[in-house]
Amino acid sequence: MGDSATQPPSRTDTPSSRTSTPRGGTPKPKREVRILMLHGYTQSGPLFRAKTRALEKLLAKVLSPSGILPVMFYPTAPNKLSPKDIPGYEARRPQQGSQEGGSSNAAAAAADQEEEDIDAWAWFRKDEASGKFRFLREGMERVADAVREAGGVDGVVGFSQGGCVAGMVAAALEETHNPEEKSEHAEWLRKVREANGGRELTFAVSYSGFRAVPGDLAWLYEPKIRTPTLHYIGSLDTVVEEGRSKALVERCEDAVVLTHPGGHYVPITKEWVMPLAAFVKKCVEGKAEGEREGEVKL
C-alpha cells in the first residue's frame, strides 16, 4: 500500500471576498462550511478535484449571497491499486518490430514504470470470497486524518466508493451507531469521532454511492442514518446500478434523491449543482437556527 498525503484545502475565495454585501449595503460575514470530498475507486484527491472544479466554483458562487463559504478538502485514499485492479486498463507496450536490445529493453522498462506509477487508489478492497471489505481500517483512518487536518468538517461529499464511505462517515459520527465492543472497527470509529470533536455532520451527499453490505458493518445502518442526505443517481449508470444506490437511500431517514439522465459520473452543470447548493443552504441554515434555539433555552 502506498502513502499519499492529504491534499491541501481548496479555498474558493480570496481574503477580500469573505464578506458579501446585500442591497442594504452592510457586508454580511461569511460562514465557512468545511466539506470533505471523497473520490471514487481508482481515483485520487487531485483527480477528483480536477473533475469537480466547475462544481466547486459554481457552488461557491451560488452560496455566496447567503453568507456561506464552502471550503473543500480532497484527501487521497491510502490503498494503492495496480493495473490489474482497474477495469479496462491497458498498459502501453513496446511496438512490434522494435527488437534491438537497448531500445526494446528501455521501452519495456518505461511501460513497467508507467504501470507502477498509475495514480489510482481505493478506500477499501472487496474480498470476493468473503464479501468483506479489506483495508477498511486504513481507509477510515485516512479519513480521520483528513478531518483532523481540516480542523473538523461540517459535511461530506463522495462519489461511487467515496459515496459509500460518505454514508459510513455520517453514520459513524452519530453516537447511536456502535459496533460490538471487541469489533475490529472500534478503533477507527474512535479516531473518526475524535477527529471531528464528537460532532455529527450537518449533511452528507452521495453521487452513485451504495450501502456497505458486509454483515460486520450492519451497525452503521441500524438505526437509520439521521444526518440529512442528498443522493444523485445516474439513470444510465452501469457501474453502480440503481438498486445498490437505493439500498443506501433506504437506510437514511431524511434522504433527498435526484436522478440525472447520465452514467457513472458527477454532474457538474448548473442544472444539477443548483439543487446541491439549495440542499447545503437548507442544512446549514437549519443547523444554525437549531444552535440559536439551544442558546435561548440555556
Side-chain angles (χ1 to χ4, degrees), residues 235-253:
S235 62
L236 301 179
D237 194 337
T238 58
V239 177
V240 176
E241 60 95 18
E242 187 174 342
R244 294 178 66 197
S245 291
K246 286 188 173 180
L248 174 59
V249 172
E250 290 168 359
R251 300 314 306 164
C252 298
E253 273 188 8

Side-chain angles (χ1 to χ4, degrees), residues 123-163:
W123 298 104
F124 56 81
R125 301 289 306 281
K126 183 179 179 181
D127 185 299
E128 296 301 333
S130 65
K132 285 196 170 187
F133 288 173
R134 297 182 294 132
F135 312 125
L136 178 62
R137 176 180 62 81
E138 291 86 344
M140 297 305 286
E141 288 182 351
R142 175 60 57 81
V143 167
D145 290 342
V147 171
R148 187 179 303 106
E149 291 168 15
V153 296
D154 303 289
V156 61
V157 173
F159 167 63
S160 195
Q161 189 184 82

Side-chain angles (χ1 to χ4, degrees), residues 3 25 88 266 298:
D3 183 18
V266 175
L298 291 175

Side-chain angles (χ1 to χ4, degrees), residues 267-286:
I268 59 174
T269 59
K270 185 175 182 179
E271 177 186 4
W272 298 103
V273 177
M274 292 300 286
L276 170 65
F279 175 75
V280 172
K281 180 176 181 290
K282 178 182 177 181
C283 292
V284 171
E285 291 181 344

Side-chain angles (χ1 to χ4, degrees), residues 5 11 21 25 72 78-79 85 106 114 118 142 245 254:
R11 293 187 177 273
T21 306
M72 318 311 223
N79 301 304
D85 299 319
E114 178 191 9
I118 59 171
R142 175 60 57 81
S245 291
D254 190 10

Side-chain angles (χ1 to χ4, degrees), residues 14-258:
T14 61
S16 61
S17 68
R18 294 200 176 199
T19 59
S20 57
T21 306
R23 293 184 178 181
T26 304
K28 183 177 182 180
K30 290 188 178 181
R31 171 176 177 171
E32 276 196 356
V33 175
R34 301 186 175 209
I35 305 174
L36 190 65
M37 303 290 289
L38 303 178
H39 64 79
Y41 184 76
T42 78
Q43 293 184 334
S44 66
L47 177 59
F48 189 43
R49 186 188 180 196
K51 288 180 175 292
T52 57
R53 190 73 174 109
L55 178 151
E56 179 183 321
K57 290 182 175 181
L58 183 55
L59 184 64
K61 180 179 180 180
V62 174
L63 290 176
S64 181
S66 300
I68 297 173
L69 174 65
V71 181
M72 318 311 223
F73 297 83
Y74 293 80
T76 294
N79 301 304
K80 187 169 177 57
L81 301 175
S82 65
K84 67 177 183 295
D85 299 319
I86 302 175
Y89 179 87
E90 292 185 6
R92 185 174 59 195
R93 288 300 179 188
Q95 295 181 358
Q96 294 295 326
S98 178
Q99 299 298 329
E100 296 189 16
S103 61
S104 178
N105 291 338
D112 290 341
Q113 187 64 40
E114 178 191 9
E115 291 194 1
E116 187 173 327
D117 291 344
I118 59 171
D119 189 27
W121 306 82
W123 298 104
F124 56 81
R125 301 289 306 281
K126 183 179 179 181
D127 185 299
E128 296 301 333
S130 65
K132 285 196 170 187
F133 288 173
R134 297 182 294 132
F135 312 125
L136 178 62
R137 176 180 62 81
E138 291 86 344
M140 297 305 286
E141 288 182 351
R142 175 60 57 81
V143 167
D145 290 342
V147 171
R148 187 179 303 106
E149 291 168 15
V153 296
D154 303 289
V156 61
V157 173
F159 167 63
S160 195
Q161 189 184 82
C164 172
V165 176
M168 295 170 66
V169 172
L173 289 173
E174 296 177 3
E175 61 182 13
T176 53
H177 295 94
N178 295 286
E180 295 181 1
E181 186 175 344
K182 295 183 179 180
S183 169
E184 61 183 293
H185 304 297
E187 183 63 14
W188 67 252
L189 175 65
R190 179 186 65 78
K191 291 180 179 179
V192 169
R193 287 178 173 174
E194 287 181 353
N196 213 41
R199 294 186 300 116
E200 296 183 4
L201 293 179
T202 303
F203 61 87
V205 181
S206 170
Y207 289 89
S208 298
F210 52 91
R211 174 184 172 179
V213 294
D216 62 326
L217 294 173
W219 57 274
L220 286 164
Y221 307 100
E222 293 290 346
K224 289 185 177 182
I225 299 170
R226 64 171 178 260
T227 299
T229 57
L230 173 61
H231 306 256
Y232 282 86
I233 299 175
S235 62
L236 301 179
D237 194 337
T238 58
V239 177
V240 176
E241 60 95 18
E242 187 174 342
R244 294 178 66 197
S245 291
K246 286 188 173 180
L248 174 59
V249 172
E250 290 168 359
R251 300 314 306 164
C252 298
E253 273 188 8
D254 190 10
V256 178
V257 182
L258 294 174

